[in-house]
Each structure stands twice: as structure tokens, then as C-alpha cells.
Amino acid sequence: MKPIGIISATALLLLLGIAAPANARQQQQEEKAKPAKQEQQARPEKQQQAKPPQQQHQQQQQQAQAPKQQQQQARGQQDQQRQQRQQQAIVQQGQQRQQRQQQDNRSAQQRSPEQVRVQQVAWLGDRAHSWQSEHHTWQQRGGYKGYSVPEYRFRSHYGQDHGFRIYSLPVRYVGGHRRFQYGGYWFGLVDPWPEYWSDDWYDSDDVYVDYHDDGYYLYDRRYPGDRIAISFYLN
């Protein structure tokens, strides 16, 4: 019985000796495999950590572009509003011009032939014999010394877009000279009117008042190259 026990003990030791290195090798392999797994697990984390800077850069770009887009949108809205205001102003001016023409036509129809004749006689006295030599600019006259219309009032009533006809305006005589009221102010002609203008230009032609270089002038749309010096008065 003893020999058998010795043999069994010896076999057990051999098995344990064989199993121990095997277990050690397995543990070593597992320990070696763990860093690889940890690296694999860590890589996605690194990749995930690497993504935020790109996203931050994109967000920064988007944030930087946002004010520009807002500015562009604001400019576009301002341009549209400006165009709408200009179109409305053009429409209003056209309507006002039509209303004035209708009023002028009604006024002309209401006048008697005698009134028309008196007007013609009165205006013929202000007609030039040779306008090129008789008329003078305000610079030639030493500069404009009359009343100056405030800019905001001038823009709202005078200029190329505000035409009218003289005969329909209120008239009064001061020192033998006629003054006409338009736009809240009185004005009078300082120059004679050209001899080649039609006899009833003040009756049939659209005129407007504008400021040129050194003073105020009256323009006739039928004769755009001529300008008659005028002066403004408060009363």
C-alpha cells in the first residue's frame, strides 16, 4: 500500500506542477490581452475626445457667420423698405401732378375770354426783346440776397418733381411787380421771360422752382435750357 500512495502523491505533484505553469501562462496572456483591450477601449474615448475641438471650430465658424447673415438680412430689409418708400413717393407725386393738372384745366375752363386777354397783356410787359443779353444769373447780380427757404420745406414743395402752373397761383402786386404764392412762400420773377417762349407759357406750361449754384430759378419743362432768376419773400 505504501508504494501505491507514494506513486499517487508523486502523480499529483506532477499534475500540479504542470497545471501551475499553465495557469501562470494563461494569466500572463490575459494580462497581456488586458492592455490591448484597454487601448481599444481607450481609442474610442480618444476619438470621442478628438471630435469636440472640430465641433467647437464649426460652432465658432457658425457663430462668426451668424452676425454677418443677420447684417445681410437687415440690409436686405432696409433696401426693400427704401425701394417701397421710393415707389410710394413716385406714385404720390404722379397722383399730385394729375390732381394739379385737373384743377388747372377746370380753372382754365372757368375763366372768361376777357380774363385771358388781361393776363396776356400783363405778361407781355415782362417779355424780353433779346433774352440772351437781358437776363442775368444771380452770380452776375452779385449773389442771391433774398429769403432762403429751409431745406426740408424746399424738398417737400420745390425741385423738378414739384411742377405747377403759374396762372393758378394766388397773385399780388408789390411795387408794380407780381408775386406768386406757392409752397407757403411768395416769389417773384427778377428776369424777363424769353421772347421765344409761347405767349401763354404761364398758362399752359408746367414750371418748377429749383436752386442752382448761386440762387433760385424758375424752369419751364418745355424749355429746359433756360432759367429765370426769381427771389423769395416771406410776405
Side-chain angles (χ1 to χ4, degrees):
M1 293 298 292
K2 289 181 179 179
I4 294 171
I6 293 169
I7 293 169
S8 299
T10 303
L12 181 60
L13 291 172
L14 288 171
L15 289 171
L16 292 172
I18 294 170
N23 290 333
R25 285 195 299 273
Q26 186 175 358
Q27 290 177 355
Q28 290 177 357
Q29 290 176 355
E30 289 178 354
E31 291 177 355
K32 289 179 180 179
K34 284 180 181 179
K37 290 181 180 179
Q38 291 176 355
E39 288 179 0
Q40 290 177 355
Q41 292 175 355
R43 283 176 186 173
E45 293 178 357
K46 290 181 180 179
Q47 291 176 356
Q48 291 175 358
Q49 293 176 356
K51 287 180 180 179
Q54 294 178 355
Q55 293 176 354
Q56 290 177 359
H57 181 65
Q58 291 176 353
Q59 290 177 354
Q60 290 175 355
Q61 287 181 341
Q62 292 175 353
Q63 291 175 355
Q65 291 175 353
K68 294 181 180 179
Q69 292 176 351
Q70 292 176 354
Q71 291 177 357
Q72 290 177 352
Q73 290 176 354
R75 289 175 184 172
Q77 292 176 354
Q78 291 176 356
D79 292 339
Q80 289 179 354
Q81 292 175 354
R82 190 180 300 108
Q83 290 176 357
Q84 289 176 355
R85 287 195 297 268
Q86 290 176 350
Q87 290 175 354
Q88 290 175 355
I90 292 171
V91 171
Q92 289 177 356
Q93 290 173 3
Q95 291 175 349
Q96 292 174 356
R97 189 177 296 110
Q98 288 178 355
Q99 290 175 357
R100 285 196 299 267
Q101 289 177 352
Q102 291 174 357
Q103 291 174 358
D104 293 342
N105 292 334
R106 286 196 296 267
S107 298
Q109 292 173 359
Q110 293 172 358
R111 286 179 299 165
S112 66
E114 180 62 22
Q115 290 174 330
V116 173
R117 189 188 67 79
V118 170
Q119 284 281 356
Q120 289 178 348
V121 172
W123 276 100
L124 285 175
D126 296 326
R127 189 173 195 170
H129 297 286
S130 177
W131 189 73
Q132 293 299 328
S133 60
E134 293 178 25
H135 91 283
H136 301 284
T137 65
W138 278 113
Q139 187 176 7
Q140 293 171 335
R141 295 175 183 274
Y144 180 77
K145 298 180 177 63
Y147 176 78
S148 296
V149 180
E151 184 64 23
Y152 73 95
R153 289 293 301 274
F154 188 86
R155 289 197 305 269
S156 61
H157 294 89
Y158 304 98
Q160 295 185 16
D161 296 329
H162 300 280
F164 57 92
R165 294 187 182 180
I166 287 181
Y167 80 85
S168 62
L169 302 179
V171 181
R172 71 180 180 183
Y173 290 84
V174 179
H177 298 284
R178 276 170 299 182
R179 293 183 183 178
F180 308 91
Q181 189 182 47
Y182 175 74
Y185 297 96
W186 292 91
F187 71 90
L189 277 61
V190 180
D191 264 341
W193 52 277
E195 70 279 5
Y196 46 84
W197 284 15
S198 63
D199 293 342
D200 61 347
W201 67 271
Y202 54 87
D203 199 352
S204 59
D205 294 358
D206 286 335
V207 298
Y208 63 91
V209 170
D210 208 347
Y211 188 91
H212 182 79
D213 290 340
D214 51 1
Y216 298 105
Y217 295 91
L218 180 74
Y219 293 83
D220 189 322
R221 296 191 190 280
R222 289 178 60 185
Y223 309 94
D226 301 331
R227 60 176 183 262
I228 299 176
I230 64 172
S231 183
F232 274 94
Y233 307 93
L234 281 176
N235 48 45

